[in-house]
Amino acid sequence: AKADGYFLSSTTSATIEFWFKPTINHTNESSKEYLWQYYKDNQNYIRAILEGDGTVSYRLQKQQQKWNIKTTQNVWSANQWYHIA
């Protein structure tokens, strides 16, 4: 994704990566937690969420287009760093 003056453009491929370190053990019985997000409005945003089922999901929405990706890992140990790309 690239900056297009106000938000992300879906015309270019890209990699989103980040590190995170949970403060508690997170499993498939945990509550949802936002890891990070860029929110322009309810039609234009990108975010990463530690979901209640234990997976990490990315969601990108630009206007009416939506993209969702989820990890297969669903258990994350407290005080351990994880890299997602």
Side-chain angles (χ1 to χ4, degrees):
K2 65 177 182 175
D4 68 358
Y6 78 97
F7 196 59
L8 299 171
S9 170
S10 60
T11 60
T12 303
S13 61
T15 300
I16 297 171
E17 66 178 294
F18 65 95
W19 289 85
F20 76 102
K21 181 176 149 182
T23 56
I24 61 170
N25 290 331
H26 194 91
T27 66
N28 60 359
E29 297 176 1
S30 300
S31 60
K32 182 188 297 191
E33 217 178 305
Y34 284 80
L35 298 172
W36 59 266
Q37 70 176 338
Y38 170 79
Y39 182 85
K40 183 178 186 309
D41 56 42
N42 66 355
Q43 290 292 309
N44 298 283
Y45 58 83
I46 185 170
R47 63 186 176 202
I49 303 170
L50 195 50
E51 299 283 2
D53 66 1
T55 61
V56 173
S57 70
Y58 295 102
R59 175 175 284 178
L60 168 62
Q61 179 167 332
K62 182 173 183 184
Q63 309 283 322
Q64 300 301 316
Q65 295 178 309
K66 298 177 184 178
W67 297 268
N68 294 294
I69 301 170
K70 274 191 166 187
T71 62
T72 55
Q73 182 170 335
N74 65 354
V75 176
W76 312 90
S77 299
N79 301 312
Q80 180 174 333
W81 282 101
Y82 295 95
H83 179 247
I84 296 181

Coordinates of all heavy atoms in Angstrom, one line a residue:
A1 N 0.8 -1.2 0.0 CA 0.0 0.0 0.0 C 0.9 1.2 0.0 O 2.0 1.2 0.5 CB -0.9 0.0 1.2
K2 N 0.4 2.3 -0.6 CA 1.2 3.5 -0.6 C 0.3 4.7 -0.3 O -0.9 4.6 -0.4 CB 1.8 3.7 -2.0 CG 0.8 3.9 -3.1 CD 1.5 4.2 -4.4 CE 0.4 4.4 -5.5 NZ 1.0 4.8 -6.8
A3 N 0.9 5.8 0.2 CA 0.1 7.0 0.5 C -0.4 7.6 -0.8 O 0.4 7.6 -1.8 CB 1.0 8.0 1.2
D4 N -1.6 8.0 -0.9 CA -2.1 8.6 -2.1 C -2.6 10.0 -1.8 O -3.5 10.5 -2.5 CB -3.2 7.8 -2.7 CG -4.5 7.7 -1.9 OD1 -4.5 8.3 -0.8 OD2 -5.5 7.1 -2.3
G5 N -2.0 10.7 -0.9 CA -2.4 12.1 -0.5 C -3.3 12.1 0.7 O -3.3 13.1 1.4
Y6 N -4.0 11.1 1.0 CA -4.9 11.1 2.2 C -5.0 9.7 2.8 O -5.3 9.6 3.9 CB -6.2 11.7 1.9 CG -7.2 10.8 1.2 CD1 -8.1 10.1 1.9 CD2 -7.1 10.7 -0.2 CE1 -9.0 9.2 1.2 CE2 -8.0 9.8 -0.8 CZ -8.9 9.1 -0.1 OH -9.8 8.3 -0.8
F7 N -4.8 8.7 2.0 CA -5.0 7.4 2.6 C -4.2 6.4 1.8 O -3.3 6.7 1.0 CB -6.5 7.0 2.6 CG -6.7 5.8 3.5 CD1 -6.4 5.9 4.9 CD2 -7.3 4.7 3.0 CE1 -6.7 4.8 5.7 CE2 -7.6 3.6 3.8 CZ -7.3 3.6 5.2
L8 N -4.4 5.1 1.9 CA -3.7 4.0 1.3 C -4.3 3.7 -0.1 O -5.5 3.7 -0.3 CB -3.6 2.8 2.1 CG -3.0 3.0 3.5 CD1 -3.2 1.7 4.3 CD2 -1.5 3.2 3.3
S9 N -3.4 3.4 -1.0 CA -3.8 3.0 -2.3 C -3.7 1.5 -2.5 O -2.6 0.9 -2.0 CB -3.0 3.7 -3.4 OG -3.2 3.1 -4.7
S10 N -4.6 0.8 -3.0 CA -4.6 -0.7 -3.1 C -4.0 -1.1 -4.5 O -4.0 -2.2 -4.8 CB -6.0 -1.3 -3.0 OG -6.8 -0.7 -4.0
T11 N -3.4 -0.1 -5.2 CA -2.9 -0.5 -6.6 C -1.5 -1.0 -6.5 O -1.0 -1.5 -7.5 CB -3.0 0.8 -7.5 OG1 -2.2 1.8 -6.9 CG2 -4.4 1.2 -7.6
T12 N -0.8 -0.9 -5.4 CA 0.6 -1.4 -5.3 C 0.7 -2.4 -4.2 O 0.1 -2.3 -3.1 CB 1.5 -0.2 -4.9 OG1 1.3 0.8 -5.9 CG2 2.9 -0.6 -4.8
S13 N 1.4 -3.5 -4.4 CA 1.6 -4.5 -3.4 C 2.6 -4.0 -2.3 O 3.4 -3.2 -2.6 CB 2.1 -5.8 -4.0 OG 3.3 -5.6 -4.6
A14 N 2.4 -4.4 -1.1 CA 3.3 -4.0 0.0 C 3.2 -5.0 1.1 O 2.4 -5.9 1.1 CB 2.8 -2.6 0.5
T15 N 4.1 -4.8 2.1 CA 4.1 -5.7 3.2 C 3.9 -4.8 4.5 O 4.5 -3.7 4.6 CB 5.5 -6.4 3.4 OG1 5.7 -7.2 2.3 CG2 5.5 -7.2 4.7
I16 N 3.0 -5.2 5.3 CA 2.8 -4.5 6.6 C 3.4 -5.4 7.6 O 3.1 -6.6 7.7 CB 1.3 -4.3 6.9 CG1 0.6 -3.4 5.8 CG2 1.0 -3.8 8.3 CD1 -0.9 -3.4 5.9
E17 N 4.2 -4.8 8.4 CA 4.9 -5.6 9.5 C 4.9 -4.8 10.8 O 5.0 -3.6 10.8 CB 6.3 -6.1 9.1 CG 7.3 -5.0 8.9 CD 8.6 -5.6 8.5 OE1 9.2 -6.3 9.4 OE2 9.1 -5.3 7.4
F18 N 5.0 -5.5 11.9 CA 5.1 -4.9 13.2 C 5.5 -5.9 14.2 O 5.4 -7.1 14.0 CB 3.8 -4.1 13.6 CG 2.6 -5.0 13.8 CD1 2.3 -5.5 15.1 CD2 1.8 -5.4 12.7 CE1 1.2 -6.3 15.3 CE2 0.7 -6.3 12.9 CZ 0.4 -6.7 14.2
W19 N 5.9 -5.5 15.4 CA 6.2 -6.3 16.5 C 5.2 -6.0 17.6 O 4.7 -4.8 17.7 CB 7.6 -5.9 17.1 CG 8.7 -6.4 16.2 CD1 9.3 -5.7 15.2 CD2 9.5 -7.6 16.4 NE1 10.3 -6.4 14.7 CE2 10.5 -7.6 15.4 CE3 9.4 -8.7 17.2 CZ2 11.4 -8.6 15.2 CZ3 10.3 -9.7 17.1 CH2 11.3 -9.7 16.1
F20 N 4.8 -7.0 18.4 CA 4.0 -6.7 19.6 C 4.4 -7.7 20.7 O 4.9 -8.8 20.4 CB 2.5 -6.8 19.2 CG 1.9 -8.2 19.1 CD1 1.2 -8.7 20.1 CD2 2.1 -8.9 17.9 CE1 0.6 -10.0 19.9 CE2 1.5 -10.1 17.7 CZ 0.8 -10.7 18.7
K21 N 4.1 -7.3 21.9 CA 4.4 -8.1 23.1 C 3.2 -8.0 24.0 O 3.0 -7.0 24.7 CB 5.7 -7.4 23.8 CG 6.1 -8.1 25.0 CD 7.4 -7.5 25.5 CE 7.6 -7.5 26.9 NZ 8.8 -6.9 27.4
P22 N 2.4 -9.1 24.1 CA 1.3 -9.1 25.0 C 1.7 -9.0 26.5 O 2.7 -9.5 26.8 CB 0.6 -10.4 24.7 CG 1.2 -11.0 23.5 CD 2.6 -10.3 23.4
T23 N 0.9 -8.4 27.3 CA 1.2 -8.3 28.7 C 0.5 -9.4 29.5 O 0.9 -9.7 30.6 CB 0.7 -6.9 29.3 OG1 -0.7 -6.8 29.0 CG2 1.5 -5.8 28.7
I24 N -0.4 -10.1 28.8 CA -1.0 -11.3 29.4 C -1.0 -12.4 28.3 O -0.9 -12.2 27.1 CB -2.5 -11.1 29.9 CG1 -3.4 -10.6 28.7 CG2 -2.5 -10.0 31.0 CD1 -4.8 -10.6 29.0
N25 N -1.2 -13.7 28.7 CA -1.4 -14.8 27.8 C -2.7 -14.6 27.0 O -3.7 -14.3 27.6 CB -1.4 -16.1 28.5 CG -0.1 -16.5 29.1 OD1 1.0 -16.1 28.6 ND2 -0.1 -17.3 30.1
H26 N -2.6 -14.7 25.7 CA -3.8 -14.4 24.9 C -4.1 -15.7 24.1 O -3.2 -16.3 23.4 CB -3.5 -13.3 23.9 CG -4.8 -12.8 23.2 ND1 -5.5 -11.8 23.8 CD2 -5.5 -13.2 22.2 CE1 -6.6 -11.6 23.0 NE2 -6.6 -12.4 22.0
T27 N -5.3 -16.3 24.3 CA -5.7 -17.5 23.7 C -7.0 -17.3 23.0 O -7.5 -16.2 22.9 CB -5.9 -18.6 24.8 OG1 -7.0 -18.3 25.6 CG2 -4.6 -18.8 25.6
N28 N -7.6 -18.4 22.5 CA -8.8 -18.3 21.8 C -10.0 -18.0 22.7 O -11.2 -18.0 22.3 CB -9.1 -19.6 21.0 CG -9.2 -20.8 21.8 OD1 -9.0 -20.8 23.0 ND2 -9.4 -22.0 21.2
E29 N -9.8 -17.8 24.0 CA -10.9 -17.4 24.9 C -10.7 -16.0 25.5 O -11.3 -15.6 26.4 CB -11.0 -18.4 26.0 CG -11.3 -19.8 25.6 CD -11.3 -20.9 26.7 OE1 -11.1 -20.5 27.8 OE2 -11.6 -22.0 26.4
S30 N -9.8 -15.2 24.8 CA -9.5 -13.9 25.3 C -10.4 -12.9 24.6 O -11.1 -13.2 23.6 CB -8.1 -13.5 25.0 OG -7.2 -14.4 25.7
S31 N -10.4 -11.6 25.1 CA -11.2 -10.6 24.5 C -10.4 -9.9 23.4 O -9.2 -10.0 23.3 CB -11.6 -9.6 25.6 OG -10.5 -9.0 26.2
K32 N -11.1 -9.2 22.5 CA -10.5 -8.5 21.4 C -9.7 -7.3 21.9 O -10.1 -6.7 22.8 CB -11.6 -8.0 20.5 CG -11.1 -7.3 19.2 CD -12.2 -6.7 18.4 CE -13.2 -7.7 17.9 NZ -14.1 -7.0 16.9
E33 N -8.5 -7.1 21.2 CA -7.6 -6.1 21.6 C -7.1 -5.4 20.3 O -6.5 -6.1 19.5 CB -6.5 -6.6 22.4 CG -6.0 -5.8 23.5 CD -4.9 -6.5 24.3 OE1 -5.1 -7.6 24.7 OE2 -3.8 -5.9 24.3
Y34 N -7.2 -4.1 20.2 CA -6.6 -3.4 19.0 C -5.1 -3.3 19.2 O -4.7 -2.8 20.3 CB -7.3 -2.1 18.8 CG -8.7 -2.2 18.2 CD1 -9.8 -2.5 19.0 CD2 -8.8 -2.0 16.8 CE1 -11.0 -2.6 18.4 CE2 -10.1 -2.1 16.3 CZ -11.2 -2.4 17.1 OH -12.4 -2.5 16.5
L35 N -4.3 -3.7 18.3 CA -2.9 -3.6 18.4 C -2.4 -2.3 17.9 O -1.6 -1.6 18.4 CB -2.2 -4.8 17.7 CG -2.5 -6.1 18.2 CD1 -1.9 -7.2 17.3 CD2 -1.9 -6.3 19.6
W36 N -3.0 -1.9 16.7 CA -2.7 -0.5 16.2 C -3.8 -0.3 15.1 O -4.4 -1.2 14.6 CB -1.3 -0.4 15.6 CG -1.0 -1.3 14.5 CD1 -0.3 -2.5 14.6 CD2 -1.3 -1.3 13.1 NE1 -0.2 -3.2 13.4 CE2 -0.8 -2.4 12.5 CE3 -2.0 -0.3 12.3 CZ2 -0.9 -2.6 11.1 CZ3 -2.1 -0.5 10.9 CH2 -1.6 -1.7 10.4
Q37 N -4.0 1.0 14.8 CA -4.9 1.4 13.7 C -4.6 2.8 13.2 O -4.1 3.6 13.9 CB -6.3 1.2 14.1 CG -6.8 2.3 15.1 CD -8.3 2.1 15.3 OE1 -9.1 1.5 14.5 NE2 -8.8 2.6 16.5
Y38 N -4.9 3.0 11.9 CA -5.0 4.3 11.3 C -6.4 4.4 10.9 O -6.9 3.6 10.0 CB -4.0 4.4 10.1 CG -4.2 5.7 9.4 CD1 -3.8 6.9 9.9 CD2 -5.0 5.7 8.2 CE1 -4.0 8.1 9.2 CE2 -5.3 6.9 7.5 CZ -4.8 8.1 8.0 OH -5.0 9.3 7.4
Y39 N -7.1 5.4 11.4 CA -8.5 5.6 11.1 C -8.7 7.0 10.6 O -8.5 8.0 11.3 CB -9.3 5.4 12.4 CG -10.8 5.5 12.3 CD1 -11.5 4.4 11.9 CD2 -11.4 6.7 12.6 CE1 -12.9 4.4 11.8 CE2 -12.8 6.7 12.4 CZ -13.5 5.6 12.1 OH -14.9 5.7 11.9
K40 N -9.1 7.1 9.3 CA -9.5 8.3 8.7 C -11.0 8.6 8.9 O -11.4 9.7 9.4 CB -9.2 8.4 7.2 CG -9.5 9.7 6.6 CD -9.1 9.7 5.1 CE -9.2 11.0 4.4 NZ -10.5 11.7 4.6
D41 N -11.8 7.6 8.6 CA -13.2 7.7 8.9 C -13.8 6.2 8.7 O -13.0 5.3 8.5 CB -14.0 8.6 7.9 CG -13.7 8.3 6.4 OD1 -13.7 7.1 6.1 OD2 -13.5 9.2 5.7
N42 N -15.1 6.0 8.9 CA -15.6 4.7 8.9 C -15.6 4.0 7.5 O -15.9 2.8 7.4 CB -17.0 4.6 9.5 CG -18.0 5.3 8.6 OD1 -17.7 6.0 7.6 ND2 -19.3 5.3 9.0
Q43 N -15.1 4.6 6.5 CA -15.0 4.0 5.2 C -13.5 3.9 4.8 O -13.2 3.3 3.7 CB -15.7 4.8 4.1 CG -17.2 4.8 4.2 CD -17.7 3.4 3.9 OE1 -17.4 2.8 2.8 NE2 -18.5 2.8 4.8
N44 N -12.6 4.4 5.6 CA -11.2 4.4 5.2 C -10.3 4.2 6.5 O -10.1 5.1 7.3 CB -10.8 5.8 4.6 CG -11.5 6.0 3.3 OD1 -11.2 5.5 2.3 ND2 -12.6 6.8 3.4
Y45 N -9.8 3.0 6.6 CA -9.0 2.7 7.8 C -8.1 1.4 7.5 O -8.4 0.6 6.6 CB -9.8 2.5 9.0 CG -10.9 1.4 8.9 CD1 -10.5 0.1 9.1 CD2 -12.2 1.7 8.6 CE1 -11.5 -0.9 9.0 CE2 -13.1 0.7 8.5 CZ -12.8 -0.6 8.7 OH -13.7 -1.6 8.6
I46 N -7.1 1.2 8.4 CA -6.3 0.0 8.4 C -6.1 -0.3 9.9 O -5.8 0.7 10.6 CB -5.1 0.1 7.6 CG1 -4.3 -1.2 7.5 CG2 -4.2 1.3 8.1 CD1 -3.2 -1.2 6.5
R47 N -6.1 -1.5 10.2 CA -5.9 -1.9 11.6 C -5.5 -3.3 11.8 O -5.7 -4.2 10.9 CB -7.2 -1.6 12.4 CG -8.4 -2.4 12.0 CD -9.6 -2.0 12.8 NE -10.8 -2.7 12.3 CZ -12.0 -2.2 12.5 NH1 -12.2 -1.1 13.1 NH2 -13.0 -2.9 12.0
A48 N -4.9 -3.6 12.9 CA -4.5 -5.0 13.3 C -5.2 -5.2 14.7 O -5.1 -4.4 15.6 CB -3.0 -5.1 13.4
I49 N -5.8 -6.4 14.8 CA -6.6 -6.7 16.0 C -6.2 -8.1 16.5 O -6.1 -9.0 15.7 CB -8.1 -6.7 15.7 CG1 -8.5 -5.3 15.1 CG2 -8.9 -7.1 16.9 CD1 -10.0 -5.3 14.6
L50 N -6.0 -8.2 17.8 CA -5.8 -9.5 18.4 C -7.2 -9.9 18.7 O -7.9 -9.4 19.6 CB -5.0 -9.3 19.7 CG -4.4 -10.5 20.4 CD1 -3.7 -11.4 19.4 CD2 -3.4 -10.1 21.5
E51 N -7.8 -10.9 17.9 CA -9.2 -11.2 18.0 C -9.5 -12.1 19.2 O -8.6 -12.7 19.8 CB -9.6 -12.0 16.7 CG -9.4 -11.1 15.5 CD -10.5 -10.1 15.3 OE1 -11.4 -10.0 16.1 OE2 -10.5 -9.4 14.2
G52 N -10.8 -12.2 19.5 CA -11.2 -13.1 20.6 C -11.0 -14.6 20.4 O -10.9 -15.3 21.3
D53 N -10.8 -14.9 19.1 CA -10.5 -16.3 18.8 C -9.0 -16.6 18.8 O -8.5 -17.7 18.5 CB -11.0 -16.8 17.4 CG -10.4 -16.0 16.2 OD1 -9.5 -15.2 16.4 OD2 -10.8 -16.3 15.1
G54 N -8.2 -15.6 19.2 CA -6.7 -15.8 19.4 C -5.9 -15.4 18.2 O -4.7 -15.2 18.3
T55 N -6.5 -15.2 17.0 CA -5.8 -14.9 15.8 C -5.5 -13.4 15.8 O -6.2 -12.6 16.5 CB -6.6 -15.2 14.5 OG1 -7.8 -14.5 14.5 CG2 -6.8 -16.7 14.4
V56 N -4.6 -13.0 15.0 CA -4.4 -11.5 14.7 C -4.9 -11.3 13.3 O -4.6 -12.0 12.3 CB -2.9 -11.1 14.7 CG1 -2.7 -9.7 14.3 CG2 -2.3 -11.3 16.1
S57 N -5.8 -10.3 13.2 CA -6.3 -10.0 11.9 C -5.9 -8.6 11.4 O -5.8 -7.7 12.2 CB -7.9 -10.1 11.9 OG -8.4 -9.1 12.6
Y58 N -5.7 -8.4 10.1 CA -5.5 -7.1 9.5 C -6.8 -6.8 8.7 O -7.3 -7.7 8.0 CB -4.4 -7.2 8.4 CG -3.0 -7.5 8.9 CD1 -2.5 -8.8 8.8 CD2 -2.3 -6.5 9.5 CE1 -1.2 -9.0 9.2 CE2 -1.0 -6.7 9.9 CZ -0.4 -8.0 9.7 OH 0.8 -8.3 10.1
R59 N -7.2 -5.6 8.8 CA -8.3 -5.2 7.9 C -8.0 -3.8 7.3 O -7.5 -2.9 8.0 CB -9.6 -5.0 8.7 CG -10.7 -4.4 7.8 CD -12.0 -4.4 8.5 NE -12.6 -5.8 8.5 CZ -13.7 -6.1 9.1 NH1 -14.4 -5.2 9.6 NH2 -14.1 -7.3 9.1
L60 N -8.1 -3.8 6.0 CA -7.9 -2.5 5.2 C -9.2 -2.3 4.5 O -9.8 -3.1 3.9 CB -6.8 -2.7 4.2 CG -6.6 -1.6 3.2 CD1 -6.3 -0.2 3.8 CD2 -5.5 -1.9 2.2
Q61 N -9.7 -1.1 4.7 CA -10.9 -0.7 4.0 C -10.7 0.7 3.4 O -10.2 1.6 4.0 CB -12.2 -0.6 4.9 CG -13.4 -0.1 4.1 CD -14.7 -0.4 4.8 OE1 -14.8 -1.2 5.7 NE2 -15.7 0.5 4.5
K62 N -10.9 0.8 2.1 CA -10.9 2.1 1.4 C -12.1 2.2 0.6 O -12.3 1.4 -0.4 CB -9.6 2.1 0.5 CG -9.6 3.5 -0.2 CD -8.3 3.7 -1.0 CE -8.3 5.1 -1.6 NZ -7.2 5.3 -2.4
Q63 N -13.0 3.1 0.9 CA -14.3 3.3 0.3 C -15.1 2.0 0.4 O -15.3 1.5 1.5 CB -14.1 3.8 -1.1 CG -13.2 4.9 -1.3 CD -13.8 6.3 -0.9 OE1 -14.9 6.5 -1.2 NE2 -13.0 7.1 -0.3
Q64 N -15.5 1.4 -0.7 CA -16.3 0.2 -0.6 C -15.4 -1.1 -0.8 O -15.9 -2.2 -0.7 CB -17.3 0.2 -1.8 CG -18.3 1.4 -1.7 CD -19.1 1.4 -0.4 OE1 -19.5 0.3 0.1 NE2 -19.2 2.5 0.3
Q65 N -14.1 -0.9 -0.9 CA -13.2 -2.1 -1.0 C -12.7 -2.5 0.4 O -12.3 -1.7 1.1 CB -12.0 -1.8 -1.9 CG -12.4 -1.5 -3.4 CD -11.2 -1.2 -4.2 OE1 -10.4 -0.3 -3.8 NE2 -11.1 -1.9 -5.3
K66 N -12.7 -3.8 0.6 CA -12.3 -4.3 1.9 C -11.3 -5.5 1.7 O -11.6 -6.3 0.8 CB -13.5 -4.8 2.8 CG -14.5 -3.8 3.1 CD -15.6 -4.4 3.9 CE -16.7 -3.3 4.2 NZ -17.8 -3.9 4.9
W67 N -10.3 -5.6 2.6 CA -9.4 -6.7 2.6 C -9.2 -7.2 4.0 O -9.0 -6.4 4.9 CB -8.0 -6.3 2.0 CG -8.1 -5.9 0.6 CD1 -7.9 -6.7 -0.6 CD2 -8.3 -4.6 0.1 NE1 -8.0 -5.9 -1.7 CE2 -8.3 -4.6 -1.3 CE3 -8.6 -3.3 0.7 CZ2 -8.5 -3.5 -2.1 CZ3 -8.8 -2.2 -0.1 CH2 -8.8 -2.3 -1.5
N68 N -9.2 -8.5 4.2 CA -9.1 -9.1 5.5 C -8.1 -10.2 5.4 O -8.2 -11.1 4.5 CB -10.4 -9.6 6.1 CG -11.4 -8.5 6.3 OD1 -11.2 -7.7 7.2 ND2 -12.4 -8.5 5.6
I69 N -7.1 -10.3 6.4 CA -6.2 -11.4 6.5 C -6.1 -11.8 8.0 O -6.1 -10.9 8.8 CB -4.8 -10.9 6.0 CG1 -4.8 -10.4 4.6 CG2 -3.8 -12.0 6.1 CD1 -3.6 -9.7 4.1
K70 N -6.0 -13.1 8.2 CA -5.8 -13.6 9.6 C -4.6 -14.5 9.7 O -4.3 -15.2 8.8 CB -7.1 -14.4 10.0 CG -8.2 -13.5 10.6 CD -9.2 -14.5 11.2 CE -10.2 -13.7 12.0 NZ -11.1 -14.5 12.8
T71 N -4.0 -14.5 10.9 CA -2.9 -15.4 11.2 C -3.5 -16.8 11.5 O -4.7 -16.9 11.8 CB -2.1 -15.0 12.4 OG1 -3.0 -15.0 13.6 CG2 -1.5 -13.7 12.2
T72 N -2.7 -17.8 11.4 CA -3.2 -19.2 11.8 C -2.8 -19.4 13.2 O -3.5 -20.2 13.9 CB -2.5 -20.3 10.9 OG1 -1.1 -20.1 11.0 CG2 -3.0 -20.2 9.5
Q73 N -1.8 -18.7 13.7 CA -1.5 -18.8 15.2 C -2.6 -18.2 16.0 O -3.1 -17.1 15.7 CB -0.1 -18.2 15.4 CG 0.3 -18.3 16.9 CD 1.8 -17.8 17.1 OE1 2.6 -17.9 16.2 NE2 2.1 -17.5 18.3
N74 N -2.9 -18.8 17.1 CA -4.0 -18.3 18.0 C -3.7 -18.3 19.5 O -4.6 -18.2 20.3 CB -5.3 -18.9 17.7 CG -5.4 -20.4 18.0 OD1 -4.3 -21.0 18.4 ND2 -6.5 -21.0 17.9
V75 N -2.4 -18.6 19.8 CA -2.0 -18.5 21.2 C -0.7 -17.6 21.3 O 0.2 -17.9 20.5 CB -1.7 -19.9 21.8 CG1 -1.1 -19.8 23.2 CG2 -2.9 -20.8 21.7
W76 N -0.7 -16.6 22.1 CA 0.4 -15.7 22.3 C 0.7 -15.6 23.7 O -0.1 -15.3 24.6 CB -0.1 -14.3 21.7 CG -0.7 -14.4 20.4 CD1 -2.0 -14.6 20.1 CD2 -0.1 -14.4 19.1 NE1 -2.3 -14.7 18.8 CE2 -1.1 -14.5 18.1 CE3 1.2 -14.3 18.7 CZ2 -0.8 -14.5 16.8 CZ3 1.5 -14.3 17.3 CH2 0.5 -14.4 16.4
S77 N 2.0 -15.8 24.1 CA 2.5 -15.8 25.5 C 2.8 -14.4 26.0 O 3.4 -13.6 25.2 CB 3.7 -16.7 25.6 OG 3.4 -18.0 25.3
A78 N 2.5 -14.2 27.2 CA 2.8 -12.9 27.8 C 4.3 -12.6 27.9 O 5.1 -13.5 28.0 CB 2.2 -12.8 29.3
N79 N 4.7 -11.4 27.7 CA 6.1 -10.9 27.8 C 7.0 -11.5 26.8 O 8.2 -11.5 27.0 CB 6.6 -11.1 29.2 CG 5.7 -10.4 30.2 OD1 5.4 -9.2 30.0 ND2 5.3 -11.1 31.3
Q80 N 6.5 -12.0 25.7 CA 7.3 -12.5 24.6 C 7.0 -11.6 23.3 O 5.8 -11.3 23.0 CB 6.9 -13.9 24.2 CG 7.7 -14.5 23.1 CD 7.5 -16.0 22.9 OE1 7.1 -16.7 23.8 NE2 7.7 -16.4 21.7
W81 N 8.1 -11.2 22.6 CA 7.9 -10.4 21.4 C 7.5 -11.3 20.2 O 8.1 -12.4 20.1 CB 9.2 -9.6 21.1 CG 9.4 -8.4 22.0 CD1 10.2 -8.3 23.0 CD2 8.8 -7.2 21.8 NE1 10.2 -7.1 23.6 CE2 9.3 -6.4 22.8 CE3 7.9 -6.6 20.9 CZ2 8.9 -5.0 23.0 CZ3 7.4 -5.3 21.1 CH2 8.0 -4.5 22.1
Y82 N 6.6 -10.8 19.4 CA 6.2 -11.5 18.2 C 6.3 -10.5 17.0 O 6.0 -9.3 17.1 CB 4.7 -11.9 18.3 CG 4.5 -13.0 19.3 CD1 4.1 -12.7 20.6 CD2 4.7 -14.3 19.0 CE1 3.9 -13.6 21.6 CE2 4.6 -15.3 20.0 CZ 4.1 -15.0 21.2 OH 4.0 -15.9 22.2
H83 N 6.8 -11.0 15.9 CA 6.9 -10.2 14.7 C 5.9 -10.8 13.7 O 5.9 -12.0 13.4 CB 8.4 -10.4 14.1 CG 8.5 -9.6 12.8 ND1 8.7 -10.2 11.6 CD2 8.6 -8.3 12.6 CE1 8.9 -9.3 10.7 NE2 8.8 -8.1 11.2
I84 N 5.1 -9.9 13.1 CA 4.1 -10.3 12.1 C 4.4 -9.5 10.9 O 4.6 -8.3 10.9 CB 2.7 -10.1 12.6 CG1 2.4 -11.0 13.8 CG2 1.7 -10.3 11.5 CD1 1.1 -10.8 14.4
A85 N 4.4 -10.1 9.7 CA 4.6 -9.5 8.4 C 3.7 -10.1 7.4 O 3.3 -11.2 7.5 CB 6.0 -9.6 8.0

